[in-house]
Amino acid sequence: MSSLPKNNSTSSLLASIQSGPPCGLLSGPSDTDYRRQRLQRIGSLSTPATQNQANDETTALRAVSNGTNYGTLPTVRPRRAYTQSSLGVARRPSTVPGLTLARTGTTISAPGSPSAFSPTFTGETMPMLRPADTDIDVRINGFRVWYSSFTSIDWLHDAIKDSARFSRLRRGKSIRSRVRLAFDKSLGWIIVTIVGFLTAIVAFLVVRAEQWLFDVKQGYCKTAWWQARHFCCPLPDDYGPLDGHCSAWRIWSDVFASWTGFSELGGEESAVQYLVYTIIAIILASTSSLLTIYLTASTSFVTRKESGVLSPDFDKSGEQSHSSPSQPKRGVMYYAAGSGIPEIKTILSGFVIHGYLGGRVLFTKALGLALSVSSGLSLGKEGPFVHIASCIGNIVSRYHSKYENNEAKRREILSAACAAGVAVAFGAPIGGTLFSLEEVSYFFPPKVMWRSFFCAMIAAVTLRFLNPFGTGKVVLFQVTYDKDWHAYELIFFILLGVLGGVYGAYFSKLNYRWSRDVRGGTWLKAHPVAEVVLVTLVTTVLCFLNPYARMGGTELIYNLFSECRTGSKNSHFNLCVLDPSNFDHVWPIVQATSVAMIVKGFLTIITFGIKLPAGIFIPTLGVGACAGRIVGIAVQCLQYHYPDSTVFAVCEGDMDCVVPGLYAMVGAAAALSGVTRTTVSLAVIMFELTDTLTYAVPVMLSVLVAKTVADALEPKGIYDLVIELSQLPYLDAKHEYLWSNLSIKEVTDRDVDVIRVDRHNTVQSLRDQLQSLLNADDGGFPILRPSRDEDGVRMVGYIGASELEHALTVAADGATEEVRFHTTYSHEDLGTSYSSWAEEPRQGEDDPFDFSIYMDQAPLTIQSNSPLELLHQYFVKLGARYVIVTDTDGDYEGVIDKKTWLAFLSELEEKS
């Protein structure tokens, strides 16, 4: 134990802290500029004026004067009062911000801590507080302060912290304690209910806005300009073409002709109509792109929860550039761009991206999505609904400390929100729950599954009542079929599965290469808005003259899925083949559908990945539905030409035996399975869309065949390729690796800087060590002591870079003071909360130079001769953030953090 600090050091420390921002040992993060100034002036003789803390914390949802606390903070109450002299213990002056020492009275105020943890000392008496009953597991696990962007969370620590929190709630026997316990148990259900309800409302607003904006490209409603076309002109039959019978709807070419008096300028396919269509489409798409770029760039998000402030390349936005060749400069991300599903997968796997699920991104994503889809680009809104729902889940859950201060618990709400996003996209609550389980979520226990299903149900029911399409359906392309399928059709369903798998594999390959070589390797990289304008211009040129390519994605899928009923006035834009035996009647439909399929496929390749909100579901379903419709029409023609064939004998002369819409649905499912590699959830979504299980076998068969073929041609789906292209730190738990003859020694980092407890560690020396760790990310310092035989070193604990940075900021004015680390078993006065740390009047009770509270005293360890598969399971199944490697004698050898392990797996995959 070092000597007590000198009076002049104490005075300067207290003077600085009294005027500084809240930065207690257990308080939330202070501003990055403040931390940087405090750390940089460690060791300087002069004390500059303390900078005021910026009040621009964007990661908190409510303004709390005392900030956010970390760790486990039990409630304590004053008991007895003893005079300070009776304790017989020399008290070390505290450096906790707000501490004021006076002869007549001493007041301890720890900004950032609840008032219960700030007892007041009056005169010469001090209240003796009841020692906190803290779980020994939490004591040993230590504190965590905050997680920086693109760092991994500590699943084990968060689980231990929540277990201790819940245990304290259960100890209470009073009525109030029981009410609090009941509220805590039901809090998750309350939050997912609110999330489902709000998700449905946002989806309703997006759908209504997208419908109106899409139709504005062609004209407006004279009776009510704010209404979309099918609300302005309700059809007696199903959703279909107007055929010029609606006088309330006026196209722009007719408006221009009436202004100029040139009647020949009118018509839906005139040059004027095309020009207005193109101009409005470009305005909508470019506006969406500008909103995405200027409102959601990763460099525009200011947060205090960033580490590495000592790096020379650190700026306040938290973006750091590393000159090391192993750590390339991180590119700028646009949080509202794309579907968001790859990033959601990364976040749910345990990585942090500050701001990605915030209110600004929610607003931009919803508004930009309505604009981008209505522009007519080959993209959909269903995938981004998952991102929108996750934003809502993140915002709502953070209103309570149970989820605000626990990243692992918050991810349970995010998993439920993902299910709600798919539920409002397809009207499929069961399929949404399975999609969250199969494709997005990383940790999905039964409790999360129940809440996800409940959240998805609330979202689907709410959207049904809101009735966004005015048809009583949750989604536009919900269809029903009157006919059953036959055994001979399984051959054609398998064929559609093969086609869907081939399309999915080569679409993923081509989109990946286009994004890497063209979008990321040419001048388009520096001009994203110009790319959006060019893609929109190409889209309008290729799609305007083809009625199927020009219509909206959901409208196209609905008409392709639909069954042609005898006597119906709706021909579904002439997709119904009235005379399959007449080639002259069939060929124009097949030709137009084939052109639409090719155009949509090509445009989706160059569109997916541009800098605006864009999903992949709808365009992929459209391409697959076109292929399926063509195959269905071909089978229908075969039946008409060979009605007496043994193949069609089961039809028993029924010439409406073949339903081309069913083939379109099967083809759509196959194509989407080939692109995204989803299976069970996709099949269930299709069942819910058709409201029947009659076609379970065709859909399941095509989906399985498509995934098998796609995996054979390209092992990774489109989301995994986007993760790879964006270099997101995602650990795929489903992937299997071949370890060959590799061992743990080949991946162990032995050059990690360490802290030796047998050496003189001062605040300044630790600051210098921290400064050498420019890439803080998941880094930290093993704390070592000599072994008994002094031939090696043994682990005392591990302290993360963020925790050390926070602790050094608090103790920055005591540059020459010795910093100590000790374990719970060697020093019983170590606690895991402010109360247990400050209550007992022992030496070092309020010692800011005792960093033991931040030290993980029992990190996960593995022997160097263990198999690599065991190490892999540490990261996958236990969610480890780092693993300490020891030799067979238990001596320290090195560290393997999650980022290092991911880099190793990436190299291993490239070699194989």
Side-chain angles (χ1 to χ4, degrees):
M1 191 72 67
S2 67
S3 60
L4 294 176
K6 297 180 180 180
N7 292 335
N8 58 352
S9 174
T10 303
S11 301
S12 62
L13 182 59
L14 291 176
S16 173
I17 290 174
Q18 289 172 13
S19 60
C23 192
L25 286 180
L26 304 180
S27 66
S30 56
D31 185 75
T32 53
D33 285 344
Y34 171 78
R35 294 205 309 270
R36 184 183 179 95
Q37 293 169 8
R38 291 273 294 175
L39 294 174
Q40 284 180 337
R41 74 168 186 254
I42 288 178
S44 63
L45 296 178
S46 61
T47 304
T50 305
Q51 300 293 326
N52 293 329
Q53 182 180 3
N55 296 319
D56 56 359
E57 169 68 29
T58 59
T59 57
L61 293 177
R62 57 197 184 282
V64 182
S65 59
N66 57 5
T68 305
N69 291 279
Y70 296 88
T72 325
L73 304 176
T75 303
V76 295
R77 296 179 179 178
R79 287 287 191 173
R80 300 170 55 191
Y82 295 89
T83 61
Q84 185 172 353
S85 59
S86 67
L87 297 174
V89 179
R91 296 183 51 81
R92 175 189 281 278
S94 174
T95 59
V96 178
L99 177 64
T100 304
L101 298 179
R103 293 183 179 180
T104 58
T106 303
T107 302
I108 293 181
S109 176
S113 301
S115 58
F117 309 137
S118 304
T120 302
F121 303 111
T122 304
E124 296 296 325
T125 62
M126 180 190 68
M128 173 62 70
L129 305 184
R130 174 176 55 85
D133 297 327
T134 51
D135 195 290
I136 187 63
D137 295 335
V138 186
R139 294 188 183 193
I140 295 174
N141 196 236
F143 279 105
R144 303 293 184 274
V145 284
W146 61 82
Y147 295 114
S148 302
S149 287
F150 298 97
T151 60
S152 57
I153 70 171
D154 194 332
W155 290 90
L156 293 176
H157 170 78
D158 287 349
I160 293 171
K161 183 167 69 172
D162 185 69
S163 176
R165 182 196 62 81
F166 188 71
S167 297
R168 284 195 309 276
L169 286 175
R170 295 190 61 180
R171 292 195 193 108
K173 302 300 181 183
S174 64
I175 297 178
R176 181 181 178 183
S177 298
R178 292 179 181 179
V179 171
R180 290 180 60 189
L181 178 61
F183 175 76
D184 184 83
K185 290 181 178 179
S186 60
L187 181 61
W189 296 96
I190 296 173
I191 289 177
V192 296
T193 302
I194 298 173
V195 170
F197 179 74
L198 294 179
T199 299
I201 293 178
V202 174
F204 169 79
L205 296 175
V206 170
V207 170
R208 282 294 177 92
E210 177 264 326
Q211 288 177 328
W212 180 75
L213 290 171
F214 187 89
D215 291 337
V216 161
K217 300 199 305 279
Q218 299 180 3
Y220 71 98
C221 183
K222 293 189 295 183
T223 57
W225 60 268
W226 61 88
Q227 287 186 343
R229 186 190 64 174
H230 71 277
F231 286 109
C232 180
C233 304
L235 296 171
D237 202 356
D238 295 331
Y239 193 92
L242 295 174
D243 296 329
H245 299 303
C246 181
S247 59
W249 185 259
R250 197 176 187 190
I251 61 176
W252 296 115
S253 58
D254 291 344
V255 174
F256 188 79
S258 64
W259 287 352
T260 59
F262 296 99
S263 58
E264 61 273 10
L265 296 178
E268 292 188 356
E269 296 184 359
S270 65
V272 173
Q273 184 72 10
Y274 170 73
L275 182 62
V276 175
Y277 179 93
T278 303
I279 292 174
I280 296 179
I282 292 176
I283 291 174
L284 293 174
S286 58
T287 303
S288 176
S289 181
L290 289 171
L291 289 172
T292 300
I293 292 172
Y294 288 102
L295 291 183
T296 64
S298 57
T299 54
S300 67
F301 287 86
V302 179
T303 172
R304 289 192 284 247
K305 296 180 180 178
E306 298 296 344
S307 297
V309 297
L310 288 175
S311 170
D313 298 320
F314 183 87
D315 61 72
K316 195 173 181 181
S317 66
E319 295 292 329
Q320 303 175 47
S321 61
H322 311 292
S323 57
S324 172
S326 61
Q327 296 291 338
K329 182 177 179 179
R330 184 179 298 141
V332 178
M333 293 179 60
Y334 299 101
Y335 289 166
S339 69
I341 292 180
E343 290 80 5
I344 297 298
K345 289 181 65 174
T346 304
I347 291 173
L348 290 182
S349 70
F351 287 91
V352 178
I353 307 178
H354 286 311
Y356 193 82
L357 301 178
R360 197 199 318 172
V361 175
L362 171 62
F363 169 78
T364 309
K365 190 85 172 188
L367 179 59
L369 181 62
L371 294 171
S372 61
V373 174
S374 59
S375 67
L377 291 171
S378 184
L379 47 84
K381 57 182 178 293
E382 280 65 22
F385 275 155
V386 175
H387 186 188
I388 290 174
S390 298
C391 290
I392 295 174
N394 176 67
I395 294 171
V396 173
S397 64
R398 289 179 58 189
Y399 274 99
H400 195 277
S401 60
K402 176 181 179 180
Y403 297 99
E404 161 69 11
N405 295 335
N406 196 309
E407 292 284 347
K409 293 294 293 181
R410 198 187 309 167
R411 275 153 179 77
E412 296 179 4
I413 301 298
L414 296 182
S415 294
C418 291
V422 177
V424 297
F426 295 102
I430 302 176
T433 305
L434 293 176
F435 182 85
S436 180
L437 167 64
E438 179 183 3
E439 184 64 26
V440 181
S441 296
Y442 195 85
F443 178 67
F444 208 79
K447 176 179 64 176
V448 177
M449 181 180 65
W450 303 332
R451 288 179 181 171
S452 299
F453 180 55
F454 183 76
C455 185
M457 181 197 68
I458 293 294
V461 171
T462 304
L463 191 62
R464 181 67 177 265
F465 281 117
L466 293 175
N467 194 14
F469 297 102
T471 60
K473 299 178 181 179
V474 177
V475 291
L476 183 60
F477 47 88
Q478 279 183 317
V479 293
T480 55
Y481 302 114
D482 297 332
K483 305 291 183 180
D484 202 349
W485 61 278
H486 304 285
Y488 73 87
E489 293 179 302
L490 291 177
I491 300 175
F492 302 103
F493 296 149
I494 294 175
L495 174 63
L496 288 174
V498 173
L499 293 176
V502 172
Y503 169 76
Y506 283 99
F507 168 83
S508 300
K509 287 178 181 288
L510 293 174
N511 178 260
Y512 176 81
R513 293 179 181 177
W514 176 272
S515 300
R516 183 191 61 187
D517 301 333
V518 179
R519 181 176 296 123
T522 63
W523 63 272
L524 293 176
K525 181 178 182 180
H527 303 86
V529 180
E531 181 190 10
V532 171
V533 173
L534 289 176
V535 171
T536 307
L537 187 61
V538 172
T539 301
T540 56
V541 169
L542 296 179
C543 294
F544 183 77
L545 296 179
N546 186 289
Y548 305 136
R550 186 171 68 243
M551 68 175 62
T554 54
E555 186 180 356
L556 172 64
I557 295 171
Y558 166 75
N559 287 285
L560 291 170
F561 279 13
S562 296
E563 180 181 0
C564 297
R565 292 181 172 86
T566 304
S568 175
K569 297 179 181 180
N570 190 355
S571 63
H572 298 286
F573 291 88
N574 298 320
L575 282 171
C576 294
V577 181
L578 302 179
D579 186 10
S581 61
N582 188 348
F583 180 80
D584 294 335
H585 181 72
V586 173
W587 175 243
I589 300 176
V590 173
Q591 185 181 33
T593 307
S594 301
V595 171
M597 178 183 66
I598 296 172
V599 169
K600 286 283 188 181
F602 167 74
L603 291 176
T604 306
I605 292 174
I606 65 174
T607 302
F608 187 68
I610 60 177
K611 298 303 182 288
L612 45 70
I616 195 65
F617 282 25
I618 290 301
T620 303
L621 288 173
V623 172
C626 287
R629 191 81 184 194
I630 293 172
V631 173
I633 292 175
V635 176
Q636 192 178 33
C637 292
L638 287 176
Q639 186 204 6
Y640 266 75
H641 283 90
Y642 306 100
D644 298 329
S645 173
T646 55
V647 175
F648 301 107
V650 293
C651 294
E652 298 177 351
D654 183 10
M655 303 310 293
D656 294 329
C657 180
V658 179
V659 181
L662 171 59
Y663 287 79
M665 184 189 69
V666 173
L672 188 56
S673 177
V675 170
T676 63
R677 310 302 162 86
T678 52
T679 53
V680 178
S681 59
L682 177 58
V684 173
I685 288 173
M686 290 299 172
F687 302 157
E688 293 183 270
L689 283 176
T690 57
D691 296 328
T692 181
L693 291 176
T694 305
Y695 311 104
V697 173
V699 172
M700 290 190 297
L701 181 63
S702 64
V703 164
L704 291 175
V705 171
K707 177 174 171 55
T708 303
V709 172
D711 285 341
L713 298 175
E714 170 54 56
K716 292 185 177 181
I718 187 64
Y719 295 139
D720 295 326
L721 290 176
V722 171
I723 289 174
E724 179 182 329
L725 187 65
S726 303
Q727 297 181 339
L728 296 174
Y730 176 69
L731 178 59
D732 191 357
K734 303 173 185 176
H735 191 76
E736 296 181 358
Y737 297 92
L738 299 177
W739 309 112
S740 301
N741 296 322
L742 301 174
S743 65
I744 289 180
K745 295 182 179 180
E746 299 181 46
V747 70
T748 303
D749 187 357
R750 294 178 173 81
D751 298 328
V752 175
D753 201 1
V754 300
I755 298 174
R756 295 285 297 265
V757 296
D758 57 326
R759 297 175 183 172
H760 187 69
N761 299 302
T762 64
V763 172
Q764 186 171 357
S765 66
L766 290 181
R767 191 279 311 270
D768 295 338
Q769 283 189 266
L770 180 64
Q771 193 167 13
S772 66
L773 190 68
L774 295 183
N775 180 20
D777 284 354
D778 286 340
F781 298 91
I783 303 171
L784 309 176
R785 63 170 176 81
S787 59
R788 292 182 178 179
D789 55 10
E790 297 188 355
D791 291 336
V793 287
R794 293 295 180 100
M795 284 293 300
V796 175
Y798 185 93
I799 186 169
S802 299
E803 286 73 35
L804 183 59
E805 181 179 300
H806 180 69
L808 290 175
T809 303
V810 176
D813 294 279
T816 59
E817 292 296 321
E818 182 181 6
V819 174
R820 291 168 299 282
F821 299 93
H822 54 73
T823 62
T824 300
Y825 291 108
S826 61
H827 294 268
E828 292 299 329
D829 58 336
L830 175 64
T832 61
S833 65
Y834 182 86
S835 56
S836 61
W837 173 75
E839 287 162 1
E840 299 184 15
R842 301 175 182 176
Q843 187 171 355
E845 62 181 1
D846 50 2
D847 185 1
F849 305 105
D850 186 355
F851 291 0
S852 304
I853 58 174
Y854 301 107
M855 180 177 63
D856 184 0
Q857 303 174 41
L860 283 175
T861 59
I862 190 171
Q863 287 191 177
S864 56
N865 61 348
S866 300
L868 282 175
E869 180 63 30
L870 177 60
L871 177 62
H872 184 62
Q873 296 303 321
Y874 271 33
F875 288 108
V876 171
K877 299 293 178 61
L878 297 181
R881 195 181 189 190
Y882 50 82
V883 177
I884 306 298
V885 181
T886 63
D887 61 15
T888 54
D889 295 327
D891 290 335
Y892 167 83
E893 281 200 359
V895 180
I896 303 174
D897 60 41
K898 201 167 188 177
K899 291 286 186 66
T900 303
W901 182 245
L902 282 171
F904 173 75
L905 293 180
S906 179
E907 294 178 2
L908 182 64
E909 192 172 2
E910 290 178 1
K911 293 178 180 178
S912 61

